[in-house]
Amino acid sequence: MAVLRSGPDGAVGAGGMSVELPLWRAISVFRVLALAYSLARYAGSFHRFLHPVAGWIYLGALVLWTLATMRAFGDPRRLKWPVLAVDLVVGLTGIALSGAYDSPARVAAGSLTLPGIWVCGTVLGCAGKGGWKPATAAVLLLAGSNVLWHGGLDGDNLHDAVLLLLVGGAIGYVMDVARAGEATLTEALRVEAATRERERLSRDIHDGVLQVLALVQRQDEGELSRLAGEQERALRVLMAGAVLPRQAQGGARDLRELLGPYQAERVTLAGPASPVLLPVPVAGEVAAAVGAALDNVARHAGPTARAWILLEEEPDTVTVSVRDDGPGYPPGRLAEARAAGRLGVSQSIEGRMRDLGGTAVLHSLPGEGVEVELRVPRERT
């Protein structure tokens, strides 16, 4: 699932689901419920108003406006500042009309305004859109209208103003924290993706170009020609793994076909008779990891060493083992190689399997050769 990225004004990008969208939907639902409460309350007391018909006309307009702005208040991409400004004017108008439509005695006794708690939705919208500062400005305007047109500076109006300030400030702060956290997470994911791409490129360079350059330095033309042919085949596999998924999503490749070119005079391949199908990019990476293991055999086990590739397919995993009869290596050798920055095992083999959600385990003792066991979970297929 993609991620919608919200900006500082509450706008959400087109990448997926934002963490703050549930809050916006809650605000939209709150406005509808608050409207229903205001209608029910007025229906039980409209006969006490000086101008009850005028009150119904205002509430009818409030119903139309609330329904018309439901989608806007549920999605910050739709909620613009002009909409919030009109929403605030609608609330201020309702407060002013409440003082004119109701009797002075009822107003003095603390009767509720026509919009009632509906104006809280405006404060929440300002808090979600711009943080606590716009919310505070909206509260001050609403509180001022209560003082001017509905009851003056009494305990009830002061109580309502304080509650609105607390709610608006809290929601604005939560929205700011949510956006800051989402921005941090987005940046962390971007850095991780860039790091993984650099690791992938370093593996490809290590597996191909550096080997060719080493042979050029030794001027071994016969071996250079042979390795150039192998690198051409590996490059074709890499290109297939990069292009085919874009052409046909969900395409699979028989891993036996990709491992077949590694079979040689001193390399034996054994596997099941039926195809071992993996997604094209997964199969390509597994085959490249096997190639890196065989390169290590050629470099470290000596020219007379033999290697065996065993491909196994299980219900939950696909396993490829690469074993040689070389001299092996002493304990701690791999840790020394990683510390020295050599990428043969840590990136070309372990890194590839880690990116696929699999594992790479190496076993070796001096004089007993090396065994590399690569496992890929079947759920990735």
Side-chain angles (χ1 to χ4, degrees):
M1 179 174 62
V3 177
L4 282 179
R5 296 177 176 84
S6 58
D9 64 346
V12 181
M17 177 71 70
S18 169
V19 295
E20 66 184 77
L21 275 183
L23 294 175
W24 284 105
R25 290 167 181 162
I27 292 174
S28 181
V29 172
F30 168 81
R31 282 164 51 84
V32 175
L33 295 177
L35 174 64
Y37 173 75
S38 297
L39 290 173
R41 182 192 55 78
Y42 187 74
S45 62
F46 72 94
H47 55 280
R48 299 190 183 95
F49 278 69
L50 293 178
H51 306 285
V53 175
W56 280 120
I57 293 174
Y58 170 79
L59 288 175
L62 189 63
V63 169
L64 294 177
W65 173 251
T66 302
L67 295 178
T69 55
M70 272 189 63
R71 294 185 64 188
F73 273 86
D75 187 344
R77 292 171 297 184
R78 300 176 180 273
L79 185 60
K80 307 298 182 183
W81 284 111
V83 175
L84 281 169
V86 174
D87 201 70
L88 180 60
V89 170
V90 171
L92 293 174
T93 301
I95 294 173
L97 292 178
S98 299
Y101 293 168
D102 210 347
S103 64
R106 279 174 45 80
V107 172
S111 64
L112 297 177
T113 61
L114 287 171
I117 62 173
W118 180 90
V119 296
C120 292
T122 304
V123 176
L124 296 177
C126 291
K129 189 69 175 175
W132 65 271
K133 292 182 180 179
T136 301
V139 170
L140 293 177
L141 289 174
L142 292 170
S145 66
N146 271 297
V147 172
L148 290 175
W149 297 310
H150 198 269
L153 187 60
D154 58 11
D156 289 339
N157 286 338
L158 181 61
H159 177 264
D160 293 343
V162 171
L163 285 180
L164 284 177
L165 277 174
L166 292 176
V167 171
I171 294 298
Y173 177 76
V174 169
M175 289 290 195
D176 289 342
V177 170
R179 290 178 189 130
E182 191 169 18
T184 301
L185 176 60
T186 299
E187 177 63 16
L189 292 175
R190 186 193 66 79
V191 171
E192 180 185 5
T195 301
R196 291 167 70 91
E197 180 64 15
R198 284 196 296 269
E199 290 179 352
R200 186 189 67 81
L201 291 175
S202 69
R203 290 195 295 261
D204 294 339
I205 293 173
H206 175 271
D207 294 346
V209 177
L210 293 182
Q211 297 177 48
V212 174
L213 291 177
L215 287 173
V216 169
Q217 186 179 16
R218 293 198 300 267
Q219 297 181 354
D220 188 342
E221 297 181 359
E223 181 66 9
L224 178 61
S225 177
R226 182 192 65 79
L227 185 57
E230 291 182 358
Q231 292 302 315
E232 179 186 8
R233 291 192 296 271
L235 180 58
R236 293 184 185 277
V237 170
L238 180 63
M239 292 175 62
V243 174
L244 288 179
R246 295 181 175 87
Q247 297 173 344
Q249 294 292 332
R253 186 74 183 270
D254 185 0
L255 184 57
R256 300 177 310 165
E257 297 179 357
L258 296 181
L259 298 181
Y262 294 132
Q263 192 165 222
E265 180 182 356
R266 296 186 177 276
V267 179
T268 302
L269 172 63
S274 59
V276 180
L277 298 178
L278 291 173
V280 171
V282 176
E285 286 293 276
V286 173
V290 171
L294 292 174
D295 287 340
N296 284 338
V297 173
R299 287 198 300 269
H300 304 299
T304 61
R306 295 185 58 85
W308 293 266
I309 305 172
L310 175 60
L311 173 60
E312 300 176 278
E313 185 176 24
E314 303 172 11
D316 297 328
T317 59
V318 172
T319 304
V320 183
S321 300
V322 180
R323 182 174 59 88
D324 66 68
D325 60 357
Y329 56 81
R333 177 69 177 273
L334 288 180
E336 295 176 1
R338 293 189 185 97
R342 295 194 290 272
L343 304 176
V345 173
S346 63
Q347 292 296 336
S348 297
I349 299 177
E350 294 176 336
R352 278 192 167 96
M353 302 310 297
R354 183 174 58 249
D355 289 348
L356 297 176
T359 59
V361 180
L362 283 77
H363 307 277
S364 179
L365 288 174
E368 296 185 8
V370 178
E371 181 177 2
V372 180
E373 184 180 81
L374 311 175
R375 287 181 176 268
V376 178
R378 290 294 303 190
E379 57 265 26
R380 296 298 297 260
T381 65

